[in-house]
Amino acid sequence: MELAQHRIMENGEAEEMDGETSARVALTESRIYPSHPAGLVKKRAYIFDGLGNFYNKEWDLADLYQKEEKERAVPEGRGNEFSWYHVELPKGNQKLSQSAQDLIGVLCPPLKLQDILSLVSNGPFCAHVDGALVFRVNSPGPPSSDFTFRIAARVTENSVITVSLGRVPRLGFSRMGESLLSEIPSVESSPQFRGQQKERSGIVIKEHVLEFLLTMNHSEEADNPVPRSVSNLVVHIIDTHVDQLQDIVTKLEMELDSVELDLDKGGYALKKQMLDDRRFPKLHINLQRLLQVIAHGEQVFLRVKEKCSSKRWFANEDINSLEELIGRLRRLKENVGFIVNRVTAIQAGLDSWQSEQINRKLYYLSFLSIVFLPLSIITGVFGMNVGGVPWTGQDAPELKDGFRNVMLVCVAMLLLVLLCFIFPALYTRVAATWQNKRALGRNWSLNRKSLLRRSLRIGDNERGGYLRI
């Protein structure tokens, strides 16, 4: 810009239009935002009429602020309508900067860089940014982990913008006829009873579908109550986040129950595989991440309740609902603590089992040493060369049984050692007597030295010497 102004000052009015054109082109080029990658970032937009009805709408976020400014000038133009824009980031191994670029491509304009950073950064956050209430609960773990949760929202009086990592169950809305839970189920019959159950009708529910539904603590999207205000929508978003955490905790409890049953049945291969895979230390780290997410949620949602209590458009019933959700998070944190204790107990049991296996192997080695110890003693005895050893007949010709004499000495030493192990009291008494005798000798020597020094000092005093201070 300074260069363009300098050219304008030098060339006069002839190049003024060119300078303005180049400045506009540069400004336009600087505002070109990268487009979001197709198929990776998902986005949905809803509009609510405030009477319990909702409609899907186009992604017109760029025109949202202009509409809100016009409606602020005419307060009765909008009524109770409000909009919701949701962005779903891909759950993969991507950097946080890449997620920020995806949000810039989707939400800019009208959002600014400070809005993007407040939505995508890690850690807990709740504050007013550019006149809107922004809160987030983003865990700093790897995005591909099942224990990494990220939910952020930007709330105004007439619109809500949310960002999540991966799909959040029951977060969106769908028509009532699309719900599986509203159908009449039918059990899949075995071949031998198919003829007897032909008259029954309904949707057949597979076993794996039932197992999945049993791990869920909530209904489907079609069963969600449609919010009638922005405060209802905020409570719905936080409620789905708490339900997602509850689903993870329920799934962990069921997995731990099955693992405990398998461990009770025994099985060397299963326990060895669990120890080699380091399954429970990894699970312990994931549980600590989950506890961090729950603690951050409790902290952030409490601040959201405090800030929303002063909003005129936030209903008192929704304030009470937020208080109940905070209480659910506290109870959920206690349940995760119980799961951590169970995982610690299972890991301790596996460690004790591993130590028992090591002790058993050491017992086998000890048994082998017991078997080969007499053989080594025999080979050592008959392989001795007693030539040159005193008391073996080399110096005195009358002593011819040198081998017998050495064996007698070995037997005497062995008997002494056996007496010390068989009668430990005798060994303790002998050792104590020897230590007392040694201590008395040491004290006598110290007293003698001190007595000699004292006598020398007295002699020095008598001779008129100086005392050492």
Side-chain angles (χ1 to χ4, degrees), residues 116-353:
I116 300 298
L117 295 179
S118 62
L119 290 173
V120 79
S121 299
N122 287 328
F125 179 80
C126 180
H128 286 90
V129 178
D130 198 12
L133 176 62
V134 178
F135 65 89
R136 69 169 185 264
V137 183
N138 295 344
S139 56
S144 59
S145 175
D146 294 334
F147 295 87
T148 301
F149 302 91
R150 293 177 183 174
I151 185 71
R154 186 181 187 275
V155 184
T156 60
E157 185 176 358
N158 297 318
S159 65
V160 177
I161 300 174
T162 55
V163 179
S164 67
L165 179 63
R167 180 181 179 273
V168 179
R170 203 175 63 92
L171 182 61
F173 297 92
S174 59
R175 300 301 174 184
M176 288 297 297
E178 300 176 1
S179 176
L180 178 63
L181 301 180
S182 60
E183 300 290 340
I184 299 176
S186 176
V187 181
E188 185 178 10
S189 59
S190 58
Q192 58 181 349
F193 294 104
R194 277 181 185 171
Q196 301 178 6
Q197 297 182 354
K198 286 183 178 179
E199 298 180 358
R200 303 180 98 184
S201 62
I203 296 179
V204 177
I205 307 297
K206 300 290 185 179
E207 184 179 359
H208 68 278
V209 178
L210 285 175
E211 290 179 354
F212 172 73
L213 293 176
L214 288 173
T215 60
M216 297 171 60
N217 191 44
H218 49 74
S219 57
E220 290 189 346
E221 293 183 352
D223 300 317
N224 292 333
V226 179
R228 297 175 177 268
S229 61
V230 174
S231 60
N232 292 152
L233 182 57
V234 172
V235 171
H236 168 73
I237 294 169
I238 298 176
D239 188 16
T240 53
H241 174 71
V242 177
D243 284 340
Q244 188 180 15
L245 298 178
Q246 182 66 52
D247 292 343
I248 296 295
V249 173
T250 304
K251 185 177 179 180
L252 286 175
E253 290 177 347
M254 296 176 67
E255 289 182 356
L256 283 179
D257 291 338
S258 62
V259 168
E260 289 175 350
L261 290 176
D262 294 338
L263 290 176
D264 291 339
K265 294 178 182 178
Y268 177 85
L270 177 62
K271 296 179 181 178
K272 187 70 169 57
Q273 183 180 1
M274 288 183 179
L275 287 172
D276 294 339
D277 296 341
R278 295 182 55 83
R279 178 177 179 180
F280 292 103
K282 295 178 182 177
L283 181 59
H284 196 276
I285 294 175
N286 291 329
L287 286 174
Q288 296 301 320
R289 292 176 180 171
L290 185 60
L291 277 174
Q292 185 182 24
V293 173
I294 295 174
H296 288 172
E298 181 182 357
Q299 173 187 353
V300 169
F301 299 150
L302 184 61
R303 295 182 62 185
V304 169
K305 182 181 76 70
E306 293 175 355
K307 291 182 179 297
C308 290
S309 59
S310 60
K311 305 289 185 181
R312 59 178 180 80
W313 45 266
F314 210 93
N316 294 328
E317 295 82 3
D318 296 326
I319 296 293
N320 298 331
S321 300
L322 286 178
E323 184 67 30
E324 293 177 0
L325 292 174
I326 295 171
R328 282 184 59 190
L329 282 177
R330 292 170 181 169
R331 292 189 295 270
L332 196 61
K333 184 166 63 175
E334 295 178 358
N335 293 337
V336 175
F338 296 149
I339 294 176
V340 170
N341 295 335
R342 291 176 63 183
V343 171
T344 304
I346 293 175
Q347 183 63 35
L350 289 175
D351 292 339
S352 64
W353 175 82

Side-chain angles (χ1 to χ4, degrees), residues 19 25 35 70 137 203 285 300 302 358 397 411 413 445 450 463:
V25 171
S35 60
K70 292 179 180 179
V137 183
I203 296 179
I285 294 175
V300 169
L302 184 61
I358 295 175
V411 169
M413 294 297 295
S445 63
S450 62
R463 290 193 297 268

